[in-house]
Amino acid sequence: MSAVVTRFAPSPSGALHLGNARTALFSWLLARRDGGRFVLRIEDTDAERSQAEHIVALQDDLRWLGLHWNEGPDIGGPNGPYLQSQRSASYDAAFADLEQRGLAYPCWCTPLELDVARRSQLAAGRPPRYAGTCRDLDAAQRAARAARASAPPTLRFRVPAGRSIGFDDLVHGPQQFATDDIGDFVIRRGDGTAAFFFCNALDDAAMGITHVLRGEDHLTNTPRQLLLLEALGQPAPRYGHVALLMGSDGAPLSKRAGARSLGDLRRAGYLPEAVVNHLFRLGHSSPLQGLQLPDALARGFTLEHLGCAPARFDDAQLASWQKDAAHALSEEAALVWLLPAMPPGLDPAQRAALITAVRANVVLPEDATRWARIVREQPAPLDAAGRALLEAAGDAFFDAAAAAAASQGAQPADWPALTAAVRAATGAKGPALFKPLRIALTGLDHGPELAPLLPLFPPGAVQQRLLNARHPD
Ligand code: GLU
């Protein structure tokens, strides 16, 4: 069996959203699992909607996810170019070939004529499809149409009548389409550019793609693409149509206003391992448990486990993967991840120590910022329970605590000694000892361990906060 070649073929008309990222991940995993190749092709034939900045950004996003490609616009490869806008010569050659063999023909029907035909078909209860007006024109009729036309013709593919096109979808199983339901379709627009599914099918063949995984919204393009490849004598890949990804509100993520892009998650500080692990489980019922590295995910990826029902992206699940991914980071990686989240004015050693001290309590970098502020600037605002706890501990408790802190100087660093001194002076122990101290120092009754945090408070702050706790505002 020849090696698996998969591809991701985004249209650079916007930021990479999570649905597309999942399709890219599945395609990458399939190639990776079977020791095959993964190709990145940019489908930028729609010049008006394609933007260079999106081409750059989506490659950054894919790299960030760890989905590296073996062939693509930046690194080239044997079947380039990998930008469709640079492949028009091959499309033109295929148009000429089809036209010359009578398998495609020029069509001068105007949008108005097409609309009228469509309406009358609908009114007659028939599914709308091209009526065939320009299908069988002879040379003289064509010349007459061309002379009358105010715009250049489109090129239509001549769909063979009375056939059934079948394929075994990698996700949905056997599919059948009657060619009589399809109608001759446009493969070249009036402006000379190729239609999406034409370049898409041709490039898959030219790039030796063996397996296409893509969104379910492309399912009905597949019979057209199979007909085209057959007419051109080109090999067809196996196609698999992945169920769409929905938001928690049930609307497709791709169409949802405000849906977060991969870039949004990345800027918010989500870790690629979390995103990849979450996407892997969306619509893919794998028995693989726990946070996994991409290669382990690849080994556990099976097309049979891809479901047909729409999958729902779930913020809570992503947050849970993020927690696991954050905890799994090495000390060094955690520093890289959280350094930008540290407030200014700290020296490098303080920043590193703060990160180490708070990271167990960090899911997103903003949590690290919040803890750094609490330590370096001021405690979190007290809630009613916190205030009640401080009052219950009483003035004598905090006088003793402040004295214990002062005995260590302006920058107390020995938490066990401090707590032992308070216990000795007040008799408080367990939660009655630790909770009021924690609340006095941070404003909160939970958080990072205080021992490593103690030396990171600004000089004088520990004593001051303990004194302030006598009169909480
Ligand atoms: N450019 C198409 C898209 O972004 C690709 C479809 C396909 O994967 O075949 O939807």
Side-chain angles (χ1 to χ4, degrees), residues 7 9-11 20 43 196 200 204 212-214 218:
R7 50 67 164 178
S11 308
N20 271 342
E43 303 212 317
F196 149 72
N200 179 270
D204 282 340
V212 167
L213 291 179
R214 60 182 177 184
H218 290 292

mmCIF file of all heavy atoms in Angstrom, residues 7 9-11 20 43 196 200 204 212-214 218, ligand 1:
data_model
loop_
_atom_site.group_PDB
_atom_site.id
_atom_site.type_symbol
_atom_site.label_atom_id
_atom_site.label_comp_id
_atom_site.label_asym_id
_atom_site.label_seq_id
_atom_site.Cartn_x
_atom_site.Cartn_y
_atom_site.Cartn_z
ATOM 1 N N ARG A 7 -3.802 16.355 3.595
ATOM 2 C CA ARG A 7 -3.510 17.779 3.412
ATOM 3 C C ARG A 7 -4.503 18.601 4.214
ATOM 4 O O ARG A 7 -5.583 18.131 4.606
ATOM 5 C CB ARG A 7 -3.542 18.156 1.931
ATOM 6 C CG ARG A 7 -4.767 17.712 1.116
ATOM 7 C CD ARG A 7 -6.005 18.387 1.533
ATOM 8 N NE ARG A 7 -7.087 18.291 0.588
ATOM 9 C CZ ARG A 7 -8.297 18.810 0.807
ATOM 10 N NH1 ARG A 7 -8.564 19.380 1.964
ATOM 11 N NH2 ARG A 7 -9.247 18.723 -0.082
ATOM 12 N N ALA A 9 -6.235 22.369 3.562
ATOM 13 C CA ALA A 9 -6.333 23.299 2.428
ATOM 14 C C ALA A 9 -7.207 24.498 2.782
ATOM 15 O O ALA A 9 -8.289 24.672 2.237
ATOM 16 C CB ALA A 9 -6.907 22.552 1.223
ATOM 17 N N PRO A 10 -6.742 25.325 3.693
ATOM 18 C CA PRO A 10 -7.585 26.441 4.131
ATOM 19 C C PRO A 10 -7.689 27.552 3.087
ATOM 20 O O PRO A 10 -6.783 27.750 2.286
ATOM 21 C CB PRO A 10 -6.845 26.963 5.365
ATOM 22 C CG PRO A 10 -5.416 26.616 5.118
ATOM 23 C CD PRO A 10 -5.433 25.320 4.359
ATOM 24 N N SER A 11 -8.815 28.242 3.136
ATOM 25 C CA SER A 11 -8.977 29.463 2.348
ATOM 26 C C SER A 11 -8.617 30.619 3.280
ATOM 27 O O SER A 11 -9.217 30.747 4.339
ATOM 28 C CB SER A 11 -10.423 29.614 1.885
ATOM 29 O OG SER A 11 -10.834 28.430 1.253
ATOM 30 N N ASN A 20 -11.837 24.394 11.744
ATOM 31 C CA ASN A 20 -10.787 24.128 10.761
ATOM 32 C C ASN A 20 -9.550 23.544 11.415
ATOM 33 O O ASN A 20 -8.882 22.684 10.843
ATOM 34 C CB ASN A 20 -10.392 25.434 10.053
ATOM 35 C CG ASN A 20 -11.252 25.666 8.840
ATOM 36 O OD1 ASN A 20 -11.878 24.736 8.345
ATOM 37 N ND2 ASN A 20 -11.288 26.898 8.378
ATOM 38 N N GLU A 43 -5.696 27.819 -0.336
ATOM 39 C CA GLU A 43 -6.686 27.959 -1.408
ATOM 40 C C GLU A 43 -7.094 29.433 -1.516
ATOM 41 O O GLU A 43 -8.117 29.861 -0.995
ATOM 42 C CB GLU A 43 -7.862 27.032 -1.134
ATOM 43 C CG GLU A 43 -7.365 25.592 -1.013
ATOM 44 C CD GLU A 43 -8.338 24.534 -1.486
ATOM 45 O OE1 GLU A 43 -9.538 24.638 -1.179
ATOM 46 O OE2 GLU A 43 -7.875 23.589 -2.168
ATOM 47 N N PHE A 196 -13.996 26.854 -6.908
ATOM 48 C CA PHE A 196 -13.322 26.228 -5.766
ATOM 49 C C PHE A 196 -13.138 24.724 -5.943
ATOM 50 O O PHE A 196 -12.037 24.190 -5.824
ATOM 51 C CB PHE A 196 -14.095 26.533 -4.470
ATOM 52 C CG PHE A 196 -13.982 25.431 -3.467
ATOM 53 C CD1 PHE A 196 -12.780 25.227 -2.802
ATOM 54 C CD2 PHE A 196 -15.038 24.565 -3.221
ATOM 55 C CE1 PHE A 196 -12.641 24.188 -1.899
ATOM 56 C CE2 PHE A 196 -14.908 23.527 -2.329
ATOM 57 C CZ PHE A 196 -13.705 23.334 -1.665
ATOM 58 N N ASN A 200 -9.583 22.546 -6.198
ATOM 59 C CA ASN A 200 -9.421 21.701 -5.026
ATOM 60 C C ASN A 200 -9.204 20.236 -5.437
ATOM 61 O O ASN A 200 -8.269 19.572 -4.979
ATOM 62 C CB ASN A 200 -10.684 21.889 -4.170
ATOM 63 C CG ASN A 200 -10.717 21.060 -2.916
ATOM 64 O OD1 ASN A 200 -11.216 19.944 -2.948
ATOM 65 N ND2 ASN A 200 -10.208 21.588 -1.806
ATOM 66 N N ASP A 204 -5.597 18.146 -5.376
ATOM 67 C CA ASP A 204 -5.472 16.918 -4.580
ATOM 68 C C ASP A 204 -4.840 15.821 -5.440
ATOM 69 O O ASP A 204 -3.957 15.094 -4.983
ATOM 70 C CB ASP A 204 -6.843 16.463 -4.063
ATOM 71 C CG ASP A 204 -7.300 17.280 -2.865
ATOM 72 O OD1 ASP A 204 -6.437 17.907 -2.212
ATOM 73 O OD2 ASP A 204 -8.514 17.298 -2.583
ATOM 74 N N VAL A 212 -8.605 12.695 2.075
ATOM 75 C CA VAL A 212 -9.059 14.060 2.369
ATOM 76 C C VAL A 212 -10.019 14.001 3.551
ATOM 77 O O VAL A 212 -11.038 13.307 3.483
ATOM 78 C CB VAL A 212 -9.795 14.658 1.137
ATOM 79 C CG1 VAL A 212 -10.541 15.928 1.521
ATOM 80 C CG2 VAL A 212 -8.819 14.931 0.010
ATOM 81 N N LEU A 213 -9.672 14.694 4.605
ATOM 82 C CA LEU A 213 -10.631 14.868 5.701
ATOM 83 C C LEU A 213 -11.036 16.325 5.682
ATOM 84 O O LEU A 213 -10.173 17.211 5.676
ATOM 85 C CB LEU A 213 -9.997 14.513 7.050
ATOM 86 C CG LEU A 213 -9.683 13.039 7.282
ATOM 87 C CD1 LEU A 213 -9.035 12.843 8.650
ATOM 88 C CD2 LEU A 213 -10.944 12.189 7.176
ATOM 89 N N ARG A 214 -12.321 16.573 5.642
ATOM 90 C CA ARG A 214 -12.773 17.964 5.596
ATOM 91 C C ARG A 214 -14.170 18.055 6.179
ATOM 92 O O ARG A 214 -14.797 17.047 6.492
ATOM 93 C CB ARG A 214 -12.750 18.472 4.156
ATOM 94 C CG ARG A 214 -13.634 17.683 3.208
ATOM 95 C CD ARG A 214 -13.500 18.247 1.792
ATOM 96 N NE ARG A 214 -14.274 17.484 0.826
ATOM 97 C CZ ARG A 214 -14.253 17.726 -0.468
ATOM 98 N NH1 ARG A 214 -13.522 18.718 -0.955
ATOM 99 N NH2 ARG A 214 -14.977 17.000 -1.298
ATOM 100 N N HIS A 218 -18.804 20.041 2.833
ATOM 101 C CA HIS A 218 -18.282 19.766 1.481
ATOM 102 C C HIS A 218 -18.775 18.447 0.909
ATOM 103 O O HIS A 218 -18.408 18.095 -0.215
ATOM 104 C CB HIS A 218 -16.746 19.768 1.502
ATOM 105 C CG HIS A 218 -16.162 21.132 1.719
ATOM 106 N ND1 HIS A 218 -16.262 22.141 0.784
ATOM 107 C CD2 HIS A 218 -15.495 21.668 2.765
ATOM 108 C CE1 HIS A 218 -15.667 23.224 1.245
ATOM 109 N NE2 HIS A 218 -15.206 22.977 2.449
HETATM 110 N N1 GLU B 1 -10.602 25.671 1.065
HETATM 111 C C1 GLU B 1 -11.650 24.783 1.476
HETATM 112 C C2 GLU B 1 -12.159 25.259 2.825
HETATM 113 O O1 GLU B 1 -11.465 25.947 3.528
HETATM 114 C C3 GLU B 1 -11.090 23.385 1.562
HETATM 115 C C4 GLU B 1 -12.097 22.306 1.529
HETATM 116 C C5 GLU B 1 -11.416 20.975 1.506
HETATM 117 O O2 GLU B 1 -10.743 20.669 2.503
HETATM 118 O O3 GLU B 1 -11.545 20.248 0.528
HETATM 119 O O4 GLU B 1 -13.290 24.960 3.184
#
